[in-house]
Amino acid sequence: MAEKVLAIVLAGGEGKRLMPLTADRAKPAVPFGGMYRMVDFVLSNLANAGFLKIVVLTQYKSHSLDRHITKTWRMSTLLGNYVTPVPAQQRRGPWWFAGSADAIYQSFNLIHDEQPDYVIVFGADHIYRMDPRQMVEDHIASGAAVTVAGIRQPLSMADQFGVIEVAEGGRRIRAFREKPTDAVGLPDAPDQIYASMGNYVFTTKALCEAVERDAEDKTSKHDMGGSIIPMLVERGEANVYDFRDNEVPGSTDRDRGYWRDVGTLDSFYDAHMDLINVHPVFNLYNFDWPIYTGQQTYPPAKFVHQWGERVGRAVASMVSPGAVISGSLVENSVVSPKVKVHSWAQVDGAVLMEGVEIGRHAVVRRAILDKNVYVPEGAEIGVDLEKDRQRYTVSDNGVVVIGKGQRVEV
């Protein structure tokens, strides 16, 4: 592709609905899948596609995110490639980013320095695989000002998404509405709608003009999906890109078209459970389109003891390097590096982040334990939800969530 493309990743989200996981970090920095951070998925998609000039706009509690990007996402400078975090810098006045559109407005210097033909604007907190090259090629061929990635969802779920309504022909967007209760089905599938994935490809001139115009509107929310896209839709210059047309190398029939907005504790938990089936709903083991992350020098995972019921074993689970499963049973779980599960403990349906330690005879069920949580001997989590609610966060679907470094009470 001869055209110059700059990728902007929006990573300034506060992630209030993921509390307490976002109490000490930005949402895109939340660990996911044992070895990764959420931001690794969008960056891997861009890198695999060959888009290697990437800026990550950050704001909320960004230290963990900045450190991860700086340590992990190093590119060769020989050809001018880079992945760099860019915090809010108050370039336009004494205020922080007022929204995602304002984040781009305040970062115009990045676009002016690079002088791209097209700008990719992707979110940083979704779990999916996508080849952005195909979307960029579709955008160029269409001649539109912006192309919005849409994923097909049941019409009955329209009130849960930003909905893209298309004109006859199925490409031009005629309306872009947030969580409508009266959405109209697609021309070729009346029982489906396009949900916005929060991924956009802009012609640079159109993006800059729209963002500048939005900046002058004091009543605007300065949001990409809520302000910029509707503006271009009204001008008839917005097209949709059907995510089902995206062919990712190595994808299976089961995980093709997978995309999850992990904006709530339950969706975050469910996305982890999607990883651990024999034939996973989302396959991390696709080596044709890898998800990259920083690899620490941990030793291999270890399973020890075999004496009666004191057998270290993990079933239907993913276990990361540095973990030790000692005389205990782990089922249906995602285990991160440096986790220790001691003898006679039972872990079922859990997400254990780095450094978690589970004491002897403890029971952990349907739970998310953030980094360095200590569960003492004999403690129970997820057994008595009413008791858990008095001490911890419990999601709408009954998943117990314990924040970073917290010591569990017996």
Side-chain angles (χ1 to χ4, degrees), residues 148-153 161-164 176 193-198 259:
V148 183
I151 184 169
R152 291 174 181 250
Q153 297 289 336
F161 300 103
V163 173
I164 302 164
F176 190 94
I193 51 96
Y194 279 130
S196 173
M197 297 170 62
W259 175 83

Side-chain angles (χ1 to χ4, degrees), residues 3-66:
E3 291 80 6
K4 293 178 62 178
V5 178
L6 174 68
I8 297 178
V9 174
L10 301 174
E14 186 173 353
K16 291 181 179 179
R17 294 181 299 165
L18 277 182
M19 290 288 287
L21 303 180
T22 51
D24 193 45
R25 57 168 83 91
K27 182 180 174 184
V30 173
F32 185 87
M35 300 288 294
Y36 309 94
R37 304 279 185 138
M38 283 193 201
V39 73
D40 289 328
F41 290 81
V42 63
L43 294 179
S44 295
N45 287 327
L46 292 167
N48 283 325
F51 297 127
L52 302 177
K53 298 179 188 294
I54 307 170
V55 294
V56 183
L57 303 187
T58 67
Q59 178 160 271
Y60 172 82
K61 295 184 179 179
S62 63
H63 173 66
S64 177
L65 179 60
D66 293 341

Side-chain angles (χ1 to χ4, degrees), residues 236-279:
E237 298 178 353
N239 274 15
V240 68
Y241 174 76
D242 192 337
F243 184 49
R244 72 176 182 177
D245 294 336
N246 198 262
E247 294 289 337
V248 175
S251 64
T252 66
D253 289 339
R254 185 164 171 78
D255 78 341
R256 181 175 289 110
Y258 181 96
W259 175 83
R260 291 290 182 273
D261 179 355
V262 287
T264 66
L265 292 171
D266 285 320
S267 62
F268 181 83
Y269 179 84
D270 291 343
H272 275 87
M273 296 302 104
D274 288 342
L275 304 176
I276 57 178
N277 292 329
V278 175
H279 301 291

Side-chain angles (χ1 to χ4, degrees), residues 207-219:
L207 172 64
C208 293
E209 289 178 352
V211 169
E212 284 184 316
R213 180 179 170 188
D214 175 74
E216 296 170 357
D217 182 358
K218 303 305 180 184
T219 66

Side-chain angles (χ1 to χ4, degrees), residues 131-190:
D131 182 354
R133 287 173 301 195
Q134 297 169 32
M135 184 176 174
V136 171
E137 290 166 358
D138 181 87
H139 173 78
I140 294 171
S142 74
V146 64
T147 298
V148 183
I151 184 169
R152 291 174 181 250
Q153 297 289 336
L155 178 62
S156 60
M157 297 176 63
D159 60 356
Q160 301 179 34
F161 300 103
V163 173
I164 302 164
E165 295 184 359
V166 294
E168 289 296 330
R171 290 298 309 279
R172 186 176 61 82
I173 302 175
R174 65 177 180 85
F176 190 94
R177 299 197 291 158
E178 189 66 28
K179 299 180 179 180
T181 57
D182 58 347
V184 178
L186 298 175
D188 64 346

Side-chain angles (χ1 to χ4, degrees), residues 242-366:
D242 192 337
F243 184 49
R244 72 176 182 177
D245 294 336
N246 198 262
E247 294 289 337
V248 175
S251 64
T252 66
D253 289 339
R254 185 164 171 78
D255 78 341
R256 181 175 289 110
Y258 181 96
W259 175 83
R260 291 290 182 273
D261 179 355
V262 287
T264 66
L265 292 171
D266 285 320
S267 62
F268 181 83
Y269 179 84
D270 291 343
H272 275 87
M273 296 302 104
D274 288 342
L275 304 176
I276 57 178
N277 292 329
V278 175
H279 301 291
V281 182
F282 182 67
N283 181 23
L284 284 175
Y285 301 88
N286 177 357
F287 298 108
D288 293 329
W289 197 269
I291 305 300
Y292 299 105
T293 193
Q295 297 291 340
Q296 303 295 323
T297 54
Y298 296 131
K302 183 165 68 171
F303 302 81
V304 293
H305 295 307
Q306 186 173 358
W307 178 68
E309 294 184 358
R310 191 185 181 195
V311 179
R313 59 207 189 277
V315 181
S317 299
M318 290 172 35
V319 181
S320 301
V324 179
I325 312 299
S326 175
S328 53
L329 174 61
V330 175
E331 299 179 280
N332 309 305
S333 297
V334 177
V335 179
S336 300
K338 296 174 64 178
V339 167
K340 294 181 181 179
V341 186
H342 292 281
S343 294
W344 297 290
Q346 299 178 38
V347 177
D348 188 3
V351 178
L352 307 181
M353 296 189 187
E354 183 173 333
V356 167
E357 185 168 357
I358 311 294
R360 290 185 170 203
H361 301 285
V363 177
V364 178
R365 296 176 183 163
R366 283 181 56 78

